[in-house]
Amino acid sequence: MSDMIQMNGIQAINAAMMEAMAADPKVLVLGEDVGDREGGGVTGTMKGLSSKFGTDRVKSTPISEQAIMGAAIGAAMAGYKPVAEIMMMNFTTVAMDMIVNHAAKLRFMSGGQTSVPLTIRTLTGAGWQTAGQHSDFFEGWFAHTAGIKVVAGSNPADLKGLLLSCIDDPDPCIFIEGGMTLFVPGEVAADQGPIPLGKAKVVVPGSDVTIVSWSAQVLRCQMALQGLAEAGISAELIDLRTISPWDRACVLESVAKTGRAMIVHEAVRSFGPGAEIAATINEELFGQLKKPVCRLGAPQCPVPFAKALEDAYIVQPDAIVAAAKALMD
Amino acid sequence: MAELSNAARPDGPALVDIYRRMLRVERNDDAIRAALRRGRLQMPYYSARGQEVIPATISHLLTQEDQICTIYRGIQDMVAKDMPLKPLWAEIAGRVDGTCKGKGGPMHLTYPDMGIMVTTGIVGSSMPIANGLAWAAQLDGSKRVVVAYFGDGASNIGAFHESLNMASVWKLPVLFVCANNGFAEHTRYEDATSVDFIARRAAGYGMPGFTVDGNDADDMYAHVTAAIDRARSGEGPTLLECKTFRFLGHVLGDDDFYMDKEAKAAAMAADPLPALRARLIAEGHASEADLAALQAAIEAEVADAQEFGMNSPVPSLDELRRDVFAEEMPA
Ligand SMILES: Cc1ncc(C[n+]2csc(CCOP(=O)(O)OP(=O)(O)O)c2C)c(N)n1
């Protein structure tokens, strides 16, 4: 085993970028404020890249999300591997045509003649009182679009490994950085390499309930583990890591064992990715379920500003424990 | 870029009123920052300290019916337009008496009674909506005008270009007011903008564009008067690029590593607020005693509003189900 290094998510993402850019001159970076002259990105994930690899490969852009995405698509079609930062996930909305109608579809529509191997990195998450236009998890929107992979790590090692895989993937990937996951330290192997996309991870094994989650909500599920243990519930926590295409085998194997399933995501519950997973579990394991599949997500409303409302909007560890208890009744 | 043929000039009372609005903005900003420092408020805060002349002059020339669409840095635009401070403070404290019931917060303050229609956190998005409000004014046969506030960085997003073109074609009564403070977050104007003056872009959309000293009440007064006259008389929109400087960075707590230290020091030394105050005294428009009384009254209003806001109740969780649609969502 190689040495383990303690780092947070920001450092892990930075390490992935440093390695990817050093290994492959085709890897490019573009986005608002990503250059060192501008501070290396709002959270500092891109620090040092422009100094080390030059401002031809690492470009700070105007505030022009549509043009950022378009430039990334074009460069990707021409053989480069751009990593485009859309500062916050809500700002992908002004680049949706480029992402949904072009990045995701060009390979198919061209009958495989062109492809768009780009990575979109984007930050989001409620809990910072940034209200309705700076906190949404839109992974469901992208997962509902054929042709783009949707990835979200929850800890430094996964963030590094998954980002490396996104960069190397032959197709467009959106790599979601849940705000909370960037600041929690963790151990990362010095030689941490790519982690395959589409592969979930069993964080904690258990026998009573399968809990499927991703990004920041994995952290809240982990906070719930003690409460679950105290209630005598043996939970198996699965970090999905890739939301689309998702690891059906891992989830179904676990639920076949526990007979109870809960999906916990930060996005609005209605029409969320939890519904897709629940439906699949129902289709595949109908006779083996001890209880209907449970979905926990935000209420159908924009992310509110007031602290009390925002706390209630996010599925908290208490709610996870309570829902698991209900599944055990 | 055009020159004004007939420049209107503010008289003494106008200058005093512009100063009053600036001071109200600045005293309120100061109180917000103090509350944030003491942990009484928690929110991302984008101070506009240093940019007060722009909304103060514009608001002096607007009527209550005239409307504005502004941005995350736009608390100054509302306070200058005489938005009452109590619902403002309750909102930024996330309380139920807030103008948005605590649900929008500082980045989405809204107060239609005073024409404060939209506050957006999305760069550029004040402009397309201002067009729609202006179209409605046209359809209503009303003389009201709409101001779209935005920053220099926002002139690089598609929404700017689409909106200016449409407003020009439809001759909409809009003032596109760009506060050019030289930076977009940490990006310098010249690193991201294809023209030396944003006002040049107006030519491409067939409307007048002016680069104005946004820290000079006379220059602002003349150009805003002309733009409002043009809008009210049905001739269409104007682009005003108001040159200014933000003293406190992009977001509170942001350091200024990306700024030229001398330029920043020079801008702060030329703080437009004390400058206008000194001018009012020197030109005999107000006495020291007048201005001291004005300041005391504003500070009392701010303190009162803060107390009110902080003592307003926290919204009930039912609020998550209200205002999503007209009809309350079922529990
Ligand atoms: C579409 C979009 N992209 C990026 C951002 C992040 N962001 C917020 S403010 C800002 C800078 C805006 O600069 P400017 O328009 O000059 O206005 P200023 O903040 O200087 O007043 C950026 C990039 C955003 N809010 N919306």
Side-chain angles (χ1 to χ4, degrees):
Chain A
M1 267 216 29
S2 77
D3 290 344
M4 299 304 281
I5 306 168
Q6 182 86 2
M7 63 176 79
N8 65 23
I10 294 171
Q11 294 162 322
I13 289 166
N14 189 257
M17 292 307 308
M18 282 286 179
E19 282 176 30
M21 294 199 75
D24 187 348
K26 296 285 191 193
V27 177
L28 310 175
V29 170
L30 71 168
E32 292 153 22
D33 282 4
V34 296
D36 284 331
R37 182 171 153 96
E38 294 79 30
V42 267
T43 54
T45 46
M46 300 293 107
K47 270 213 171 76
L49 297 175
S50 68
S51 303
K52 188 152 181 203
F53 301 105
T55 49
D56 284 343
R57 283 178 70 195
V58 181
K59 276 198 169 319
S60 274
T61 65
I63 308 173
S64 309
E65 280 78 7
Q66 178 166 215
I68 293 170
M69 282 316 309
I73 292 170
M77 292 173 69
Y80 287 85
K81 296 179 179 174
V83 179
E85 173 173 307
I86 299 291
M87 192 182 283
M88 304 225 58
M89 196 163 206
N90 282 85
F91 313 154
T92 61
T93 54
V94 290
M96 266 325 210
D97 164 57
M98 283 293 145
I99 302 172
V100 172
N101 290 324
H102 296 90
K105 297 182 182 168
L106 290 180
R107 178 190 289 280
F108 185 86
M109 295 191 306
S110 71
Q113 298 176 91
T114 59
S115 64
V116 186
L118 73 79
T119 302
I120 305 167
R121 291 181 35 257
T122 191
L123 171 69
T124 199
W128 313 84
Q129 283 200 271
T130 48
Q133 294 177 342
H134 285 72
S135 347
D136 282 307
F137 264 90
F138 289 145
E139 73 275 32
W141 291 8
F142 296 103
H144 197 64
T145 300
I148 182 164
K149 297 180 184 175
V150 184
V151 178
S154 71
N155 60 78
D158 284 356
L159 287 166
K160 183 180 175 200
L162 293 167
L163 180 54
L164 287 171
S165 289
C166 288
I167 295 170
D168 264 341
D169 199 87
D171 285 302
C173 298
I174 183 160
F175 179 84
I176 303 165
E177 299 172 6
M180 232 171 114
T181 69
L182 295 188
F183 300 100
V184 181
E187 304 253 281
V188 181
D191 63 355
Q192 174 69 59
I195 293 173
L197 303 184
K199 287 273 172 253
K201 179 167 87 176
V202 177
V203 182
V204 182
S207 54
D208 293 330
V209 187
T210 301
I211 303 180
V212 181
S213 192
W214 51 89
S215 194
Q217 280 311 52
V218 172
L219 304 179
R220 295 195 181 92
C221 289
Q222 286 172 310
M223 292 176 207
L225 286 175
Q226 190 176 341
L228 290 167
E230 281 163 12
I233 301 172
S234 167
E236 177 147 302
L237 175 58
I238 295 178
D239 182 346
L240 205 56
R241 305 198 292 193
T242 302
I243 294 112
S244 178
W246 61 286
D247 190 346
R248 294 160 55 111
C250 173
V251 171
L252 293 174
E253 188 185 324
S254 172
V255 181
K257 177 177 71 178
T258 60
R260 298 181 188 88
M262 182 196 304
I263 301 110
V264 184
H265 59 59
E266 191 170 315
V268 167
R269 181 178 181 275
S270 315
F271 301 93
E276 170 67 19
I277 298 167
T280 305
I281 294 171
N282 283 336
E283 285 162 2
E284 301 294 328
L285 299 173
F286 181 62
Q288 299 170 58
L289 292 175
K290 295 171 185 150
K291 276 281 167 89
V293 180
C294 162
R295 290 178 291 142
L296 298 182
Q300 181 81 334
C301 76
V303 182
F305 168 71
K307 192 74 201 141
L309 296 183
E310 192 190 35
D311 285 346
Y313 174 92
I314 303 167
V315 174
Q316 301 289 349
D318 292 356
I320 296 166
V321 174
K325 284 181 180 165
L327 278 181
M328 295 306 295
D329 274 350
Chain B
M1 284 173 295
E3 288 290 321
L4 275 187
S5 49
N6 213 337
R9 282 186 66 82
D11 59 10
L15 288 172
V16 172
D17 185 61
I18 291 168
Y19 177 73
R20 173 187 72 77
R21 292 171 194 269
M22 289 173 65
L23 191 63
R24 193 165 184 261
V25 168
E26 187 274 336
R27 291 288 78 203
N28 192 62
D29 173 77
D30 189 72
I32 289 176
R33 285 187 283 121
L36 284 164
R37 271 197 306 276
R38 280 183 280 129
R40 292 195 78 195
L41 283 180
Q42 273 178 336
M43 59 177 189
Y45 183 57
Y46 307 88
S47 172
R49 187 64 264 283
Q51 303 188 173
E52 294 88 352
V53 174
I54 300 166
T57 311
I58 292 172
S59 302
H60 170 77
L61 291 164
L62 294 179
T63 68
Q64 185 169 327
E65 287 69 40
D66 292 328
Q67 295 172 325
I68 68 172
C69 295
T70 188
I71 61 171
Y72 49 90
R73 203 179 301 289
I75 289 183
Q76 63 160 1
D77 306 325
M78 310 166 201
V79 174
K81 203 171 186 292
D82 276 333
M83 172 169 172
L85 298 183
K86 283 182 178 177
L88 187 152
W89 272 85
E91 187 60 30
I92 64 180
R95 305 307 169 91
V96 74
D97 294 307
T99 166
C100 313
K101 306 175 195 164
K103 296 197 267 195
M107 252 193 283
H108 307 300
L109 284 156
T110 310
Y111 201 77
D113 285 355
M114 297 292 293
I116 297 154
M117 302 307 289
V118 178
T119 303
T120 182
I122 304 299
V123 167
S125 296
S126 56
M127 292 174 264
I129 302 173
N131 278 355
L133 291 163
W135 181 31
Q138 233 178 21
L139 293 169
D140 289 349
S142 158
K143 289 279 171 210
R144 61 181 192 269
V145 302
V146 186
V147 177
Y149 287 106
F150 56 99
D152 46 288
S155 76
N156 294 322
I157 201 162
F160 168 91
H161 299 273
E162 296 183 24
S163 302
L164 263 68
N165 181 60
M166 183 185 282
S168 184
V169 172
W170 292 5
K171 292 197 184 334
L172 295 174
V174 181
L175 277 68
F176 292 98
V177 177
C178 174
N180 182 352
N181 56 29
F183 297 93
E185 294 214 354
H186 299 163
T187 297
R188 299 173 201 208
Y189 174 87
E190 58 276 18
D191 289 347
T193 322
S194 60
V195 282
D196 51 357
F197 293 102
I198 287 170
R200 285 194 197 288
R201 292 184 166 166
Y205 302 109
M207 73 174 74
F210 300 95
T211 301
V212 185
D213 182 345
N215 287 0
D216 181 85
D218 290 328
D219 205 23
M220 282 296 300
Y221 190 94
H223 287 90
V224 174
T225 302
I228 292 178
D229 288 349
R230 178 175 149 82
R232 286 208 208 287
S233 64
E235 290 166 58
T238 302
L239 172 62
L240 298 176
E241 173 190 20
C242 311
K243 301 273 263 185
T244 185
F245 201 95
R246 52 165 162 72
F247 292 171
L248 296 168
H250 172 61
V251 63
L252 210 65
D254 175 5
D255 60 32
D256 53 7
F257 73 90
Y258 54 94
M259 288 186 178
D260 179 70
K261 301 289 164 281
E262 277 167 29
K264 182 180 175 186
M268 292 185 73
D271 188 337
L273 185 72
L276 183 55
R277 188 181 197 284
R279 177 178 168 195
L280 295 180
I281 304 274
E283 293 180 3
H285 303 309
S287 67
E288 282 289 349
D290 295 337
L291 298 185
L294 174 66
Q295 179 154 343
I298 288 173
E299 284 170 359
E301 184 197 12
V302 172
D304 214 31
Q306 179 165 1
E307 236 12 70
F308 173 84
M310 297 296 182
N311 290 318
S312 167
V314 168
S316 94
L317 300 189
D318 297 336
E319 286 301 334
L320 294 174
R321 292 185 285 103
R322 296 187 186 135
D323 306 315
V324 178
F325 293 119
E327 194 178 327
E328 186 168 320
M329 309 263 291

